[in-house]
């Protein structure tokens, strides 16, 4: 999330509501899980992992209040919020600064900045009502414990998870200036109290441990940089759908009042299909079918290998760098930042410069189209992929960290880096990014 941006995106919430409306007959929606416990048909348990032990504390309390203001069928929909607060940014609601689990309850007074939801004990997380506890939201055990408890205490035929807070996609920038080090590698669930963060591979492991044999209906990222190919590829077997933005997300996040209302209305109507509304030009919100991500990864990585073979001189390197720049980068402005590129824009730029790769480009476009269900009104398909790091002036800065180098042996590598043979840098200096930015490597 970026504090400078404060505009709610209604399309974002309506889209997610349609995606998880518990349908089964859409051309977009895969078949429902038929291993349903008796009495749980049509029920949804939504878990919000609210990592707000940081400068997003006030936004977290506002979003919880938005959930309380929503009208929805609490017999069909259970909303659980694990909220970790800071002691620095907001003194409302008793100014507690620990970690609490809430079952969201409707507040007839609407948006009033007062939490009325039911606080719950949770044996899996050692949370008790008699005293407050401070949990490390970056810990795999914390997330897996929430998921395990939710499935046990609130069984349903569909489960969904929202990762709420700061997000940096596959990783975070090394702020200590040390190259070839993953000491500062981040991804999600930043916890200021413990100084921790959750690696992308740790997120996957936590979901697998907590959900056991269940597959999430969807995982949403109310964060920045959630809709990246690396993230989707890592979580492709954990959920049916992934929702998030390919770039920066508003500080205020999603409109949970509208979202929960729409989910409830769709469930009550017994919808057996959904359609996506026309998105606004400025949205980068993606709804991704994870069942197609394997094909997209393979065709994208193959195209990267073909592009690597086109590099025969330094002039070729500089031409491709300019091409990447011309496609537009997604990054945090005026700060050291990781930079992503929209795959759709990248393909358009490559097609104009390398017409002999037209068939391979079409393969990637097909798989991108099948994977991402959202479009902007001008036809843009939002899904990003990491390309380089930038300094505060917007120039390429530090070397690739070991966690994004295939063959480096780094233990916290995401699956995308481990499996890529054409796109990511290799330890020997290969890969498309390795060829383009080899002077910046190591």
């Amino acid at each position: 999330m970026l504090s400078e941006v404060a505009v709610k995106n209604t399309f974002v919430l309506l889209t997610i509501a349609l995606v998880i409306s518990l349908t089964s007959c859409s051309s977009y929606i895969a078949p429902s899980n038929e291993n349903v416990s008796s009495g749980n048909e049509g029920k949804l348990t939504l878990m919000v992992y609210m990592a707000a032990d940081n400068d997003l504390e006030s936004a977290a309390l506002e979003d919880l209040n938005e959930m309380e203001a929503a009208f929805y069928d609490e017999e069909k929909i259970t909303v659980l919020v694990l909220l970790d607060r800071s002691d620095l940014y907001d003194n409302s609601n008793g100014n507690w600064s620990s970690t609490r689990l809430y079952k969201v309850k409707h507040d007839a007074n609407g948006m009033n900045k007062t939490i009325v939801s039911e606080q719950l004990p949770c044996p899996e997380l050692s949370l008790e009502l008699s005293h407050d506890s401070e949990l490390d939201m970056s810990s795999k055990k914390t997330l897996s414990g929430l998921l395990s408890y939710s499935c046990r205490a609130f069984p349903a035929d569909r489960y969904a998870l929202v990762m709420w807070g700061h997000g940096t996609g596959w990783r975070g920038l090394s702020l200590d200036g040390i190259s070839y080090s993953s000491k500062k590698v981040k991804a999600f669930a930043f916890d200021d109290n413990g100084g921790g963060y959750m690696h992308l591979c740790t997120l996957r492991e936590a979901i697998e441990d907590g959900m056991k044999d269940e597959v999430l209906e969807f995982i949403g990222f109310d964060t920045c940089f959630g809709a990246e190919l690396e993230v989707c590829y890592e979580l492709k077997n954990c959920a049916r759908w992934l929702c998030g933005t390919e770039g920066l997300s508003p500080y205020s996040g999603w409109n949970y009042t509208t979202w929960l209302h729409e989910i409830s209305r769709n469930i009550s109507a017994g919808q057996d299909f959904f359609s996506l509304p026309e998105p606004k030009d400025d949205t980068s919100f993606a709804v991704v079918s994870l069942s197609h991500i394997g094909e997209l990864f393979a065709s994208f990585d193959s195209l990267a290998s073909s592009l690597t073979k086109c590099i025969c001189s330094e002039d070729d390197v500089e031409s491709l760098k300019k091409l990447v720049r011309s496609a537009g980068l997604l990054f945090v402005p005026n700060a050291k930042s990781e930079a992503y590129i929209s795959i759709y824009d990248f393909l358009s730029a490559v097609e104009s410069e390398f017409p002999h790769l037209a068939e391979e480009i079409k393969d990637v476009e097909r798989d991108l189209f099948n994977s991402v269900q959202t479009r902007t009104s001008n036809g843009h398909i939002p899904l990003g992929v990491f390309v380089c790091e930038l300094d505060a002036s917007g120039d390429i800065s530090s070397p690739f960290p070991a966690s994004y180098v295939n063959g480096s042996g780094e233990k916290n590598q995401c699956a995308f880096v481990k499996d890529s043979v054409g796109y990511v840098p290799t330890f020997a200096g290969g890969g498309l990014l390795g060829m383009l930015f080899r002077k910046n490597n190591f």
Side-chain angles (χ1 to χ4, degrees), residues 144-319:
S144 64
L146 171 66
L147 298 175
S148 178
Y149 165 81
S150 301
C151 293
R152 176 183 63 80
F154 300 95
D157 64 348
R158 302 289 177 98
Y159 298 92
L161 171 66
V162 173
M163 296 295 294
W164 188 104
H166 285 297
T168 60
W170 76 273
R171 44 127 8 232
L173 186 65
S174 178
L175 300 178
D176 58 3
I178 300 175
S179 64
Y180 207 63
S181 168
S182 63
K183 291 200 304 181
K184 295 291 183 181
V185 169
K186 301 181 181 179
F188 303 101
F190 297 9
D191 192 309
D192 282 2
N193 183 68
Y197 36 81
M198 189 177 293
H199 303 288
L200 180 56
C201 60
T202 304
L203 172 60
R204 172 186 51 77
E205 292 168 356
I207 294 173
E208 292 172 345
D209 290 350
M211 295 304 297
K212 305 301 182 188
D213 296 328
E214 295 282 355
V215 174
L216 291 166
E217 178 70 10
F218 95 98
I219 178 169
F221 289 90
D222 192 356
T223 70
C224 294
F225 303 112
E228 315 301 340
L229 183 55
E230 295 93 339
V231 179
C232 294
Y233 189 72
E234 188 76 29
L235 303 178
K236 65 183 185 300
N237 296 321
C238 295
R240 295 173 61 220
W241 298 91
L242 181 145
C243 309
T245 58
E246 64 175 352
L248 298 173
S249 178
Y251 171 83
S252 53
W254 299 348
N255 187 326
Y256 288 91
T257 303
T258 301
W259 180 34
L260 290 174
H261 173 73
E262 290 297 322
I263 293 174
S264 184
R265 186 173 66 176
N266 289 336
I267 293 175
S268 298
Q271 286 188 209
D272 60 358
F273 67 91
F274 79 93
S275 60
L276 295 173
E278 279 294 314
K280 298 177 181 178
D281 289 338
D282 59 353
T283 184
S284 65
F285 189 77
V287 176
V288 184
S289 172
L290 294 180
S291 64
H292 295 287
I293 284 297
E295 291 89 343
L296 176 58
F297 166 82
S299 60
F300 179 78
D301 204 54
S302 176
L303 174 62
S305 294
S306 296
L307 282 170
T308 301
K309 296 175 183 177
C310 296
I311 300 175
C312 301
S313 67
E314 285 300 319
D315 288 341
D316 294 336
V317 170
E318 292 305 315
S319 294

